[in-house]
Amino acid sequence: MAVSLWKSLLQTTKSRLFLQRGVSLYNGVHGFEEEAIKKKLQQFGGGSINLSKEDHGIRVLTLNNPKQMNAFTGTMMLELQERVTELENWKDGKGLIIHGAENTFCSGSDLNAVRAMSSSEDGMNMCMFMQSTLTRLKRLPLISVAVVQGKALGGGAEFTTACDFRLMTPGSEIRFVHKQMGLVPGWGGAARLVQIVGGGAALKLLSGALKVDPERAVHLGLAEETLPSSDETRSLEEAQAWLNQYTKAPAEVIQAVKKVVTAGRELQLEAALRAEKDIFGTVWGGPANLQALAQSTKHK
Ligand SMILES: CC[C@@H](C(=O)O)C(=O)SCCNC(=O)CCNC(=O)[C@H](O)C(C)(C)COP(=O)(O)OP(=O)(O)OC[C@H]1O[C@@H](n2cnc3c(N)ncnc32)[C@H](O)[C@@H]1OP(=O)(O)O
């Protein structure tokens, strides 16, 4: 009796914990020294992570380091964590579009920083820092779409998997180049890629460091579609129109929808059912539910 009670308590805690805002995957127990790595990352400046004002519940996050093909500098990694915290606290949020400045997505870590942080301790701390931040990004109660223009390489390819969906422009490319650097993904990209395309396809993309163009990405289920335009402004407008199809409801409903899907993606069945029950309780009898009940129930 005591054991099963303890197990159920543990499951309930797990199903609630993973939805908590700002929870890092790692702590001192795993050897993660967050303050130390933040200090180290601060030494590698350049670029920025910009977040637009909200427009109908949708914001645009821009990886902005065009001089280096939007490579992630140390300070951009720190700014990404700050933007994710901002988004976790955005009460009216429904959707997030992520793109790179000047018509290319992201060419991964800033290789200058990588060369300077080649110690095992720095590498592992950067890995745990980025895994935590991208896991929080993926778990945001928002529908997120990466608009891939130009190239998404290495950590940039991994970043696309931390979004719910990917839309690609003509001629763009997602490529997990890690093998060619004697590496494997370190920002959580391998685990998420297996979830998205399956183990077999993931193994081919990683072991072959294969270039994934829009056609192959759609075929694999890695991308939803190829956008008509490769122009930066037009493709963002097309992505916004695509996302608008899925955010036509009050923010609390869209957020609850993403949360139940995240529970289904990440938890064992019984824990996912408990999480779904808890989330259902937040919208049952809520303003959107009562308003819908007061109107005709015919769904066009
Ligand atoms: C966990 C994964 C993570 C890690 O292991 O830490 C990584 O992501 S490692 C990095 C993986 N990414 C790469 O290896 C990509 C390297 N870059 C390229 O292959 C090419 O630059 C490109 C992206 C294919 C573009 O090629 P091209 O169009 O010919 O432009 P340039 O090569 O001349 O680049 C323009 C400019 O940008 C600088 N640049 C590009 N990528 C990076 C980068 N990842 N880090 C730092 N700087 C980068 C490049 O050096 C050029 O600058 P200048 O030489 O000053 O003109």
Side-chain angles (χ1 to χ4, degrees):
M1 175 62 178
V3 171
S4 61
L5 197 61
W6 172 245
K7 268 191 182 165
S8 143
L9 188 66
L10 198 59
Q11 284 297 345
T12 307
T13 313
K14 257 191 207 164
S15 65
R16 293 208 172 117
L17 193 62
F18 97 108
L19 281 174
Q20 292 294 315
R21 293 194 292 256
V23 175
S24 174
L25 288 178
Y26 299 105
N27 55 40
V29 170
H30 312 100
F32 184 41
E33 301 293 335
E34 181 158 11
E35 287 320 307
I37 190 63
K38 286 171 99 169
K39 232 167 124 190
K40 173 74 81 164
L41 291 173
Q42 194 60 44
Q43 295 170 24
F44 304 101
S48 61
I49 303 288
N50 307 335
L51 192 55
S52 72
K53 292 228 175 314
E54 75 105 10
D55 170 18
H56 294 93
I58 294 177
R59 296 177 82 170
V60 178
L61 186 129
T62 305
L63 311 181
N64 184 29
N65 183 20
K67 283 204 316 302
Q68 293 180 289
M69 305 299 276
N70 299 325
F72 255 94
T73 64
T75 50
M76 284 169 74
M77 293 180 188
L78 296 172
E79 286 190 21
L80 179 64
Q81 187 188 55
E82 289 162 10
R83 299 292 90 76
V84 168
T85 301
E86 208 176 318
L87 289 164
E88 285 174 338
N89 293 295
W90 179 24
K91 296 279 170 288
D92 303 325
K94 298 199 275 189
L96 180 68
I97 294 172
I98 293 165
H99 79 121
E102 295 188 16
N103 241 351
T104 192
F105 190 75
C106 171
S107 76
S109 280
D110 173 356
L111 287 166
N112 306 308
V114 168
R115 289 184 187 104
M117 291 201 300
S118 56
S119 75
S120 168
E121 188 190 357
D122 285 345
M124 295 310 289
N125 270 319
M126 181 272 288
C127 161
M128 290 186 276
F129 183 88
M130 285 303 285
Q131 272 197 6
S132 278
T133 303
L134 290 178
T135 300
R136 287 171 59 192
L137 174 74
K138 181 98 186 208
R139 288 175 175 169
L140 284 170
L142 308 170
I143 301 177
S144 57
V145 186
V147 179
V148 180
Q149 305 144 313
K151 297 191 188 307
L153 305 182
E158 296 192 63
F159 197 114
T160 72
T161 66
C163 300
D164 295 312
F165 301 107
R166 285 142 297 278
L167 299 171
M168 295 177 74
T169 60
S172 64
E173 170 192 318
I174 296 174
R175 192 175 182 197
F176 295 84
V177 296
H178 306 76
K179 176 198 77 168
Q180 292 176 331
M181 302 179 60
L183 287 171
V184 295
W187 294 0
R192 294 188 297 267
L193 186 64
V194 170
Q195 286 187 328
I196 294 167
V197 301
L203 187 53
K204 285 181 195 164
L205 295 186
L206 294 178
S207 63
L210 300 180
K211 289 185 183 182
V212 186
D213 62 18
E215 191 187 354
R216 178 180 239 168
V218 170
H219 174 71
L220 290 171
L222 182 57
E224 296 306 302
E225 64 180 64
T226 308
L227 292 172
S229 171
S230 51
D231 169 77
E232 181 172 11
T233 309
R234 281 284 310 129
S235 55
L236 278 179
E237 287 163 358
E238 288 158 2
Q240 175 106 29
W242 185 90
L243 184 52
N244 283 341
Q245 302 172 88
Y246 303 101
T247 54
K248 284 186 188 128
E252 69 271 19
V253 176
I254 299 298
Q255 291 185 18
V257 167
K258 173 62 184 285
K259 286 177 184 173
V260 291
V261 170
T262 301
R265 267 183 187 148
E266 295 201 23
L267 299 175
Q268 294 292 323
L269 179 62
E270 286 187 20
L273 294 173
R274 284 192 184 90
E276 185 175 307
K277 165 189 65 72
D278 293 344
I279 297 159
F280 173 80
T282 66
V283 288
W284 175 261
N289 179 223
L290 296 177
Q291 189 184 354
L293 291 173
Q295 289 158 359
S296 94
T297 49
K298 268 202 196 61
H299 303 286
K300 300 167 193 74

